[in-house]
Amino acid sequence: MVKDLPTIYDAKSTEEEIYKFWEENGMFKADAKSQKPPYSIVIPPPNVTGVLHMGHALDETLQDILIRYHRMSGYEALWLPGTDHAGIATQNVVEKKLREQGKSRHDLGREKFLQETWTWANKHKSAILDQCKRLGASFDRSRERFTFDKGCSDAVKEVFVKLYEKGLIYKGAYIVNWCPRCQSAISDVETEYETEQGHLWEISYPLKNEAGAIIVATTRPETIFGDVAIAVHPDDHKYSELVGKTVVIPLSGREIPIIADEYVDRNFGTGAVKITPAHDPNDFEVGKRHNLKPIWVIDGEGKMKACGEVPPEFHGLDRYEAREKIVGLLSYKNFLLRTREHEHNVGKCQRCNTTIEPLLSEQWFVKMKPLAKEAIAAVKDGRIKFIPERWEKNYLGWMENIRDWCISRQLWWGHQIPAYYHNQTGEMVVAKENPDPENYTQDSDVLDTWFSSGLWPFSTMGWPDTNSDDFKKFYPTSVLVTGFDIIFFWVARMITMGLEFTKKPPFPTVYIHGLIRDEKGQKMSKSKGNTIDPVVIIDKYGSDALRFTMTSLCTYGGQDIKISDERFEYGRNFANKIWNASRFVLMNLEGVDNEEFDFSKLTIVDKWILNELNNTAKEFNENIKNYRIGETAHIMYDFFWNKYCDWYVEIAKIQLADDSLKLNTQRVLRYVLDMSLRLLHPIMPHITEKVWQLIPQKSEFKAIMLADFPVWNEKLSYPKEAQEMELVFETIKSLRNVRQSFNIPMSLMFDIEIRADKNEKSTFEAIEAYIKRLAKVDKISYSDSTDAPKKSAAAVVSASKIIIPLENLIDFNEEIKRQQKKLDKLIQEKNSLTGRMKNEKFVQNAPKELIEQTKSRIDEISVQENSINDLICSLKA
RNA sequence: GGGCGUUUAGCUCAGUUGGUAGAGCGUCUCCCUUACAAGGAGAGGGUCGAGAGUUCGAGUCUCCCAACGCCCACCA
């Protein structure tokens, strides 16, 4: 029984029950053979290392809203879920686990380690998607994918080989960002810079066979054993005598030349730079220009190399220990002339925050410039749009200055590079399969995890089989929804790869939302301990509450969103409001038939609410089509709470008590509830489904999630009645105001006398019952009298006056003050408006409607002004 | 060094073509009125960061400045 439904909405049990209902009925499954137009989204695949965090919750909610909206709007909607193998991140986690057991990956060996990681990945692969169920995610789990599964791996090989054959992938020795902890190269975008307080040491390099020295400033004295030259600017007169001479490296004694190169900034430090091509990107370039052979002095673990160039006492020392020892020795031997504080930016590994070591090594790269061309064009010519637009600039700026992408990683967990080397000759073959396993060994490096993510929109759809049903039906996808933090990592690469391999942009729109932050605006992170767990929020407030709150906080500009636990009360309270309003309607639907309401029997209030509903549906559709998703939440909140609940439901109580209106009112109540639930469903799927199922009405739809989404309907447009209803609202609000101002309890009914304007009298008569009930009025009388009312409060509404005789209840001085205050406000407004009308240029330039509007407002104010003046006079008398 | 964002009520923030500012929370009154106290009714609260300009009219457009935040580049 409806009466037995609790007055507090039980989100937890409802959400569980409803999700099960959808899932068991296979309602999330998309049909590639459907005749309906396609609408598809591929999920930004979460890492298998992670658990659901607030960022996912927002991202997934927005996607689910779009998917559910389009599903209801007649599209064949596919939301394809999946996860990312997340190369370094996952390997780090598994290695950490091993370390706790006192083991390293090398103790296990590659094969065993991979087995271990697969087990781990398989265990966690579904965990995060299972958590998404709590959000109500309507994705198609039958199509779940993993960046490391067979299909995605085949796509990776296909792409690698094709790019290699086109000359767009090459292998070579360059300076890369090397993480000594991960012991792998990482790409430029995986390197984050932090400002650190360091030192600038000035070191003296004595000239060979003569007196004198050159003084060099460096932040990295530990690399001096790798120096191959000292460089000065060619035009620097200070040093012109020295160019071409030879100096001796302190502590090691190796001899190196002084060279001239324009790279040197004369104004920085001493104007002389030590050149260490193996450990600095700029020095590498200088070294190449001058044909200087690089010397490695730091190894992959960040330790001093045990080689001839490095004095034995430093062998195996950590780079920072070595730095300290070298500085000490330099100082002791008087090579160190000065030490200065120096603030500089230091590269850190995105995954483990270890300081990056620029290291010369042999790696695989993707030549980006040729690929970027089309990726730039697609955004410039509008085939791909970013929302908000400003991200286009960001994307283009990066793309136009793009550098080659280092794609090889010295890891085990990832797609192994499909290059094979002959065991004897070393000859290299790049192919999807090993040409001859007997004699060829595969490259031991794996690919950057973003290489496979970059193929995600099509590798998940069956590509390279372009004839697969999914690829034909659902590719390109309809939109990409993500945060701005992965535009370079992911979005740019999907666009590049999508265009190169499918000749189509993988999506026409990139919808970028803000990032979730804590209440102080700080990024949420485990180390800061300021994270909010979405599952905890769902347990406490409900999934719909979480979704509604987050959605309402989304702005079109994609601003970051600050949240705190309590903010979710907003959505929870709204869910509860929906629940209770629904309970009321359902309780009052007993005995109603299945017919739609009778247009001929609609009252002014019925027409008003239908008109409002209609406008709301129109606005909802317009807003969501323009990705103003936050706005959809606001208009639904306003419509449902402030219009349907606060006014229509209250007035419906009066109509339900009237036998001649009862049935049609029931039908309107039901209709508006039904449509409201449909409008709310994309944002709050569970509660709307639950309530909708309780509505006693046969429907052609099995579930609200499959019902038609409301659109604008000419037949429900009643602008005239909507206008007339203003009189109801104004009258009731003024009467309530009077009541409150004089502390008249609701239990005390009073009579009113309406001195109606002749155009408004019939409307007042039509709405008498509403005024009586909602303003607690006993009797209403009409009068044409212009006499001063005696000892009354009064309200001026539109062009009419309402007199409230309250002889013993009010202080007339207070009433005079009250009226005076209103009068002052009106006069102020009138002055401003008449001032405007006196301005000739305004009258000349302003649009006609505005002038008309201004005129009629002035007239209106004049009438009200007179009325109030009369009132004040009579009160004073 | 270059670019972007933010600055509006006590707090958190909306504000689409320029027409004279809104919401939620909080505050103050009153109310258990038969859907809802996670509720209802009423009220108070802002010279829209500073300055200049365009315009009949600027929170909204232009310029400049300031504070805070972010991104990119990076000189050892």
Side-chain angles (χ1 to χ4, degrees):
Chain A
M1 283 305 285
V2 175
K3 271 183 223 139
D4 302 329
L5 295 173
T7 58
I8 298 285
Y9 171 58
D10 179 1
K12 209 169 175 179
S13 68
T14 305
E15 288 170 0
E16 208 171 306
E17 167 202 328
I18 293 297
Y19 198 88
K20 222 169 125 196
F21 163 77
W22 291 325
E23 229 181 4
E24 281 172 359
N25 286 283
M27 291 179 180
F28 303 152
K29 224 172 204 163
D31 178 7
K33 294 264 161 70
S34 158
Q35 295 303 305
K36 294 183 200 168
Y39 186 87
S40 61
I41 296 177
V42 288
I43 199 170
N47 292 350
V48 284
T49 51
V51 291
L52 190 75
H53 59 63
M54 274 296 170
H56 295 122
L58 172 66
D59 200 48
E60 263 58 289
T61 296
L62 292 171
Q63 290 171 62
D64 198 43
I65 288 170
L66 290 167
I67 285 287
R68 286 181 183 273
Y69 168 76
H70 284 92
R71 191 185 284 123
M72 290 174 79
S73 298
Y75 290 84
E76 188 62 32
L78 166 63
W79 187 14
L80 192 148
T83 44
D84 197 307
H85 71 285
I88 295 187
T90 307
Q91 175 155 332
N92 283 352
V93 176
V94 176
E95 281 189 286
K96 192 178 166 202
K97 211 185 68 182
L98 287 176
R99 256 202 312 283
E100 282 160 11
Q101 302 164 8
K103 284 187 260 180
S104 83
R105 65 170 151 140
H106 300 283
D107 295 333
L108 284 133
R110 186 165 188 146
E111 207 169 311
K112 200 84 188 295
F113 178 79
L114 281 178
Q115 261 176 33
E116 194 76 4
T117 311
W118 264 111
T119 311
W120 200 90
N122 282 334
K123 207 174 107 193
H124 289 80
K125 212 159 55 168
S126 300
I128 198 164
L129 296 177
D130 284 340
Q131 284 183 308
C132 288
K133 287 184 179 182
R134 294 293 306 278
L135 282 168
S138 67
F139 46 38
D140 184 351
R141 281 299 279 276
S142 73
R143 284 177 163 89
E144 180 182 334
R145 297 297 299 271
F146 182 48
T147 53
F148 209 2
D149 65 22
K150 173 82 169 57
C152 290
S153 301
D154 288 347
V156 163
K157 283 186 221 164
E158 176 84 17
V159 165
F160 189 96
V161 172
K162 282 242 169 85
L163 287 177
Y164 179 79
E165 285 168 354
K166 265 186 119 170
L168 293 172
I169 281 183
Y170 63 93
K171 191 182 182 187
Y174 297 89
I175 291 271
V176 293
N177 303 295
W178 183 273
C179 175
R181 204 221 56 83
C182 300
Q183 291 199 44
S184 173
I186 61 174
S187 68
D188 293 339
V189 280
E190 284 166 304
T191 308
E192 291 171 349
Y193 288 89
E194 283 176 21
T195 304
E196 276 187 5
Q197 197 53 246
H199 299 279
L200 192 60
W201 286 281
E202 290 181 9
I203 301 168
S204 168
Y205 285 60
L207 290 169
K208 185 191 170 190
N209 296 337
E210 58 184 297
I214 190 163
I215 300 156
V216 163
T218 182
T219 54
R220 302 208 54 200
E222 67 276 17
T223 62
I224 63 168
F225 306 128
D227 291 352
V228 296
I230 302 296
V232 297
H233 195 276
D235 303 335
D236 194 340
H237 304 302
K238 204 168 34 162
Y239 294 119
S240 45
E241 298 287 306
L242 293 177
V243 174
K245 293 194 172 176
T246 301
V247 294
V248 179
I249 298 176
L251 308 184
S252 76
R254 191 159 47 80
E255 295 171 5
I256 54 172
I258 296 174
I259 59 169
D261 194 284
E262 295 199 334
Y263 147 74
V264 180
D265 177 354
R266 278 178 281 179
N267 300 318
F268 187 88
T270 61
V273 193
K274 60 194 227 40
I275 301 299
T276 320
H279 299 289
D280 182 278
N282 292 308
D283 293 5
F284 176 69
E285 294 301 323
V286 175
K288 259 205 314 204
R289 280 200 287 276
H290 295 269
N291 271 320
L292 298 163
K293 240 181 107 189
I295 296 170
W296 281 266
V297 293
I298 296 172
D299 68 13
E301 289 179 65
K303 290 181 178 160
M304 300 306 288
K305 253 189 146 158
C307 64
E309 280 80 4
V310 179
E313 69 247 58
F314 297 104
H315 288 185
L317 269 189
D318 174 81
R319 50 188 168 155
Y320 296 113
E321 285 172 350
R323 175 183 296 177
E324 218 171 297
K325 192 167 172 183
I326 287 168
V327 168
L329 269 173
L330 287 171
S331 173
Y332 177 71
K333 298 194 170 173
N334 289 324
F335 290 113
L336 183 67
L337 301 186
R338 192 147 72 133
T339 304
R340 277 193 282 170
E341 292 292 307
H342 180 62
E343 200 176 74
H344 61 146
N345 289 334
V346 177
K348 302 277 177 174
C349 172
Q350 184 205 25
R351 287 292 161 197
C352 66
N353 207 39
T354 303
T355 301
I356 289 303
E357 192 61 39
L359 192 68
L360 179 58
S361 68
E362 180 122 300
Q363 302 288 344
W364 290 89
F365 297 86
V366 177
K367 214 181 269 180
M368 291 305 291
K369 280 254 185 300
L371 289 166
K373 252 182 155 177
E374 188 62 5
I376 290 167
V379 171
K380 278 195 169 163
D381 65 25
R383 276 178 288 158
I384 299 174
K385 276 202 168 67
F386 279 72
I387 291 174
E389 210 173 335
R390 69 188 142 93
W391 293 112
E392 275 174 23
K393 212 175 158 185
N394 182 273
Y395 166 90
L396 289 172
W398 189 71
M399 271 298 190
E400 279 160 2
N401 296 297
I402 196 147
R403 292 184 296 181
D404 287 355
W405 174 17
C406 175
I407 49 169
S408 47
R409 299 287 178 274
Q410 288 63 50
L411 307 172
W412 289 347
W413 177 244
H415 300 96
Q416 207 170 334
I417 288 176
Y420 304 87
Y421 305 94
H422 192 277
N423 294 341
Q424 271 78 49
T425 66
E427 169 228 8
M428 182 177 81
V429 177
V430 171
K432 283 191 263 182
E433 302 303 331
N434 190 338
D436 174 11
E438 292 273 303
N439 293 305
Y440 284 81
T441 306
Q442 187 167 8
D443 195 313
S444 60
D445 286 358
V446 303
L447 288 164
D448 180 3
T449 193
W450 296 102
F451 192 92
S452 54
S453 326
L455 319 179
W456 189 243
F458 50 98
S459 65
T460 51
M461 301 267 192
W463 191 89
D465 176 8
T466 50
N467 274 320
S468 77
D469 290 341
D470 278 3
F471 188 82
K472 281 194 292 186
K473 180 78 183 175
F474 294 114
Y475 187 84
T477 61
S478 306
V479 62
L480 177 80
V481 180
T482 192
F484 60 78
D485 51 333
I486 52 175
I487 290 178
F488 302 150
F489 282 103
W490 192 46
V491 181
R493 283 151 182 179
M494 280 191 288
I495 293 174
T496 309
M497 294 297 200
L499 286 164
E500 172 69 14
F501 287 97
T502 69
K503 303 300 164 207
K504 288 175 190 166
F507 28 72
T509 305
V510 181
Y511 174 54
I512 301 285
H513 57 249
L515 264 34
I516 300 288
R517 297 177 179 278
D518 74 2
E519 63 233 275
K520 290 178 197 135
Q522 291 182 307
K523 224 169 163 177
M524 284 191 179
S525 72
K526 271 176 250 164
S527 54
K528 279 187 206 146
N530 61 349
T531 54
I532 294 180
D533 182 351
V535 175
V536 171
I537 296 294
I538 291 171
D539 283 340
K540 190 168 169 189
Y541 298 104
S543 167
D544 291 338
L546 173 108
R547 292 171 60 118
F548 186 82
T549 305
M550 295 254 254
T551 305
S552 76
L553 294 174
C554 280
T555 62
Y556 184 68
Q559 297 304 325
D560 288 352
I561 295 168
K562 282 193 245 179
I563 57 166
S564 61
D565 186 298
E566 307 81 55
R567 290 204 88 159
F568 296 97
E569 288 175 8
Y570 177 66
R572 179 203 57 184
N573 292 356
F574 186 45
N576 201 233
K577 189 72 180 178
I578 295 169
W579 179 249
N580 280 298
S582 302
R583 276 178 59 236
F584 171 81
V585 175
L586 294 170
M587 276 182 221
N588 284 284
L589 286 186
E590 276 155 40
V592 76
D593 57 20
N594 274 324
E595 301 301 310
E596 197 178 69
F597 55 83
D598 184 342
F599 278 85
S600 68
K601 287 185 181 159
L602 293 174
T603 65
I604 173 176
V605 199
D606 297 335
K607 288 177 180 172
W608 167 76
I609 195 67
L610 290 169
N611 185 70
E612 291 292 335
L613 170 73
N614 204 24
N615 287 338
T616 304
K618 185 178 165 210
E619 280 175 42
F620 192 109
N621 283 284
E622 282 170 3
N623 278 305
I624 199 165
K625 276 178 189 142
N626 292 308
Y627 294 95
R628 293 177 184 275
I629 301 183
E631 204 54 36
T632 63
H634 300 149
I635 62 175
M636 285 317 297
Y637 187 93
D638 181 54
F639 171 75
F640 195 82
W641 199 316
N642 302 134
K643 290 176 177 144
Y644 186 61
C645 293
D646 288 352
W647 289 102
Y648 187 71
V649 167
E650 290 308 318
I651 290 175
K653 287 174 184 171
I654 305 162
Q655 297 189 352
L656 287 169
D658 181 334
D659 283 344
S660 67
L661 296 174
K662 185 175 177 183
L663 181 61
N664 215 42
T665 302
Q666 287 176 311
R667 291 164 172 172
V668 174
L669 271 172
R670 179 183 58 197
Y671 177 81
V672 179
L673 178 65
D674 180 351
M675 293 303 143
S676 302
L677 293 170
R678 294 187 196 201
L679 287 162
L680 280 162
H681 181 262
I683 311 176
M684 307 177 89
H686 307 90
I687 189 170
T688 49
E689 185 73 76
K690 174 71 184 179
V691 173
W692 198 77
Q693 308 271 352
L694 293 170
I695 297 175
Q697 179 189 37
K698 280 183 205 126
S699 172
E700 56 190 298
F701 305 107
K702 254 172 83 179
I704 195 173
M705 70 162 280
L706 304 175
D708 287 342
F709 199 80
V711 291
W712 164 262
N713 176 357
E714 178 61 41
K715 280 175 19 194
L716 298 179
S717 181
Y718 294 105
K720 189 174 136 273
E721 284 80 357
Q723 183 55 41
E724 283 173 354
M725 276 300 284
E726 289 304 316
L727 206 60
V728 177
F729 304 140
E730 284 307 306
T731 304
I732 291 167
K733 279 188 207 163
S734 323
L735 293 172
R736 282 171 172 171
N737 189 309
V738 168
R739 188 180 283 278
Q740 186 80 20
S741 300
F742 298 107
N743 266 321
I744 302 166
M746 293 299 274
S747 51
L748 184 82
M749 309 261 282
F750 50 63
D751 298 342
I752 60 171
E753 175 192 326
I754 298 178
R755 297 183 177 181
D757 175 80
K758 60 180 181 305
N759 296 320
E760 291 171 355
K761 187 168 181 197
S762 61
T763 310
F764 272 113
E765 282 167 348
I767 62 177
E768 267 187 22
Y770 313 145
I771 297 171
K772 283 182 174 170
R773 166 83 174 237
L774 298 183
K776 297 283 173 194
V777 167
D778 191 17
K779 281 192 200 103
I780 297 177
S781 59
Y782 294 87
S783 147
D784 296 328
S785 166
T786 51
D787 296 350
K790 296 239 164 57
K791 299 195 169 179
S792 299
V796 174
V797 173
S798 189
S800 305
K801 223 187 296 186
I802 298 171
I803 311 296
I804 311 145
L806 292 167
E807 234 170 305
N808 304 314
L809 293 167
I810 65 173
D811 175 341
F812 291 106
N813 287 325
E814 281 304 308
E815 175 64 0
I816 291 170
K817 271 193 215 160
R818 201 177 70 95
Q819 296 292 357
Q820 188 64 50
K821 208 172 151 193
K822 274 192 185 159
L823 188 62
D824 291 346
K825 239 182 178 171
L826 285 174
I827 290 171
Q828 203 189 345
E829 190 187 347
K830 192 182 162 189
N831 286 343
S832 144
L833 293 176
T834 48
R836 216 180 298 171
M837 288 303 291
K838 277 184 197 148
N839 184 331
E840 274 176 44
K841 285 186 175 171
F842 173 75
V843 182
Q844 272 167 27
N845 296 317
K848 266 186 230 146
E849 299 139 30
L850 185 67
I851 292 173
E852 284 309 307
Q853 211 179 301
T854 309
K855 272 189 199 162
S856 66
R857 180 62 188 153
I858 291 173
D859 292 347
E860 195 177 61
I861 293 174
S862 302
V863 172
Q864 297 191 345
E865 199 184 334
N866 286 337
S867 301
I868 296 177
N869 270 324
D870 288 352
L871 284 169
I872 293 174
C873 280
S874 66
L875 283 166
K876 281 181 175 166

